[in-house]
Amino acid sequence: MRARGLGRTTSLTRAVVALVGIAGLTAALVATPSTAQTGPGKRSERTYALAALPAGADLPNPLRGQYRWLGAEPTPSTVTSNDVYYRDQVYWGRIEPADGQWDFTWLDAGLAEAGERGGKFGFRVMAYCPGCWMNYRADRPAVTPPFVPRQPGTDIPDWNSTGFQGQWRELMAELGRRYGDDPRLGYVDVGGYGSYGEWHVDAGERVSDANGLAIVDAVASAFPNKHLLINTMTPVEFTLKALAAHPQLGMRTDGLGCPDMYSMLAVDERLQSFWRTRPFFSEWCTQADPVLGAKQVRQFHVSTLSSGNMPWTHDALTPHQRSAYATALATAGYRIRLRSLTLPRSIAAGDRITVRTAWVNQGSAPTYDRWDVRLTFARSGRTVSAALGQQLDGLVASSRRTTKVSVPRLSPGRYDVLVSVVDPTGYSQPMHLANAGRTASGAYRVGSVRVR
């Protein structure tokens, strides 16, 4: 995809039909106890079935749904978009205008924007951007820094030279030292090679497999604890080698809503199994069909998408297209609902009890980050929590979990029971579940239990 300018038309006067009325859902019904009792010992337990949100309700969780690109507001405006992605703002020549001289202004700005929204930041560093606006502005450094070797007689970087390889690794190492442990940073798009950092070129010498893998390795070594993405316009065998070498490496394509997403992923089944453990991100292509895009979100398990390149305004869509577009936004990534929770009818403080949970993921992909499930007992303003562990790891359809937990020392009485899904790093707010009854603390009330 060719780089685009920062401006775009986003005429929005109506919200997506499936997302209308979200603000009125906060007073929805919470959990209700089930009267069904089957099997030995079930009479001593109570199962609470939790109410669900409508299928199109907004879930503003990190690294799912719609992200912000090139400063564009979300489309439609009723959809929460907290994650932020930079590309044109953070090209190589802007970060390092002279060898060893750094300008982190725009990377810091992107992280700050994501942090203020409670979202995650992602970025791609371009080394080459043919025809891009930055190269024609006297007040902007060129995309390719002057110290980067070129192929003879061209302005194309010499991808296979030791000069390019060494400078790229030095750049990534510096960025990794500065941002590798920042909780606001969600992922790094490998970038580096090809037009717009998209891993394809129209002219000049191509990168060798060995040097291409070295470009990926430089990013992976600098950011060992972050998600990485590589554009799937690469040859399949090369992509498989890169994925095998780096377990944190996922994929992206810039062609959602176009035939095969202009991607090798759609035409090779070997690449289509990695979504279970690695993220796949996308953006709408410049000739996107929203109906096709919605199908691709499900078929290829897309986690995030952007409105940055949409060729149409929301008002111009037919009702069928709007419905498909709303479905694409609502189902991209994880959309997790707690179906039920089973507890003993009464417990004694200090007991070790069995807690049974049933979950369903209504989205297209699992969450690829760690989330801890927490059970909380609340009474008279006092809350005490017990950990249920990482129950959502790899959840792609439905699951049932049984966990033994020790009940905290509580005085006798009746306690409200709440469930929350929390970020163990403390950065992200508790996960928004596809359940009604979310409290101000980000927990969901399940029911009550008597402590003896």
Side-chain angles (χ1 to χ4, degrees), residues 107 173 191 255 263 277 335:
L107 286 164
S263 163
T277 57
R335 187 178 186 86

Side-chain angles (χ1 to χ4, degrees), residues 284 290-294 319-329:
W284 294 99
V291 176
L292 177 59
H320 181 52
Q321 290 173 324
R322 287 186 199 171
S323 177
Y325 179 72
T327 298
L329 292 183

Side-chain angles (χ1 to χ4, degrees), residues 141-379:
V143 173
T144 308
F147 55 86
V148 170
R150 269 62 163 187
Q151 296 180 33
T154 75
D155 62 352
I156 304 170
D158 189 356
W159 318 109
N160 294 305
S161 68
T162 57
F164 177 88
Q165 292 287 327
Q167 292 285 358
W168 177 256
R169 182 167 290 275
E170 179 184 284
L171 167 69
M172 287 298 119
E174 185 65 27
L175 296 182
R177 281 191 291 270
R178 186 174 178 90
Y179 302 114
D181 295 324
D182 195 318
R184 299 170 297 176
L185 180 61
Y187 64 96
V188 179
D189 192 341
V190 168
Y193 171 65
S195 301
Y196 328 115
E198 292 180 357
W199 286 76
H200 63 86
V201 292
D202 297 325
E205 183 181 8
R206 274 62 173 167
V207 74
S208 68
D209 277 7
N211 286 322
L213 291 172
I215 292 172
V216 178
D217 183 72
V219 184
S221 298
F223 298 95
N225 301 315
K226 301 296 182 182
H227 300 301
L228 307 180
L229 306 174
I230 189 168
N231 200 298
T232 52
M233 296 182 77
T234 51
V236 171
E237 295 302 329
F238 173 85
T239 308
L240 290 169
K241 290 178 184 177
L243 291 167
H246 303 292
Q248 80 270 42
L249 181 64
M251 294 174 281
R252 73 166 287 136
T253 180
D254 297 339
L256 184 70
C258 282
D260 288 337
M261 300 182 296
Y262 297 153
S263 163
M264 299 307 296
L265 175 75
V267 297
D268 194 285
E269 293 184 355
R270 291 173 295 175
L271 295 175
Q272 294 171 15
S273 63
F274 285 95
W275 67 272
R276 291 186 175 273
T277 57
R278 323 220 190 163
F280 179 49
F281 290 6
S282 191
E283 69 183 52
W284 294 99
C285 72
T286 53
Q287 294 84 36
D289 172 8
V291 176
L292 177 59
K295 293 178 181 177
Q296 291 170 337
V297 166
R298 275 291 187 189
Q299 181 181 0
F300 300 109
H301 308 280
V302 177
S303 283
T304 67
L305 46 89
S306 171
S307 301
N309 266 347
M310 289 193 308
W312 21 257
T313 63
H314 191 254
D315 284 349
L317 298 179
T318 67
H320 181 52
Q321 290 173 324
R322 287 186 199 171
S323 177
Y325 179 72
T327 298
L329 292 183
T331 58
Y334 58 98
R335 187 178 186 86
I336 296 172
R337 177 165 66 91
L338 177 59
R339 299 177 66 180
S340 66
L341 184 139
T342 302
L343 293 169
R345 288 179 177 272
S346 68
I347 59 178
D351 274 359
R352 189 167 175 78
I353 64 170
T354 299
V355 181
R356 309 179 200 278
T357 53
W359 302 89
V360 61
N361 185 353
Q362 301 167 324
S364 62
T367 174
Y368 301 98
D369 290 324
R370 290 183 56 191
W371 294 92
D372 291 334
V373 180
R374 181 180 296 167
L375 187 70
T376 299
F377 300 88
R379 179 170 179 254

Side-chain angles (χ1 to χ4, degrees), residues 39-80:
K42 292 296 183 181
R43 292 183 180 180
S44 64
E45 296 180 337
R46 173 174 290 178
T47 296
Y48 292 90
L50 278 76
L53 288 176
D58 192 29
L59 295 183
N61 293 317
L63 301 185
R64 69 155 306 280
Q66 186 175 185
Y67 61 90
R68 291 172 177 264
W69 189 58
L70 289 176
E73 290 298 307
T75 304
S77 59
T78 52
V79 176
T80 305

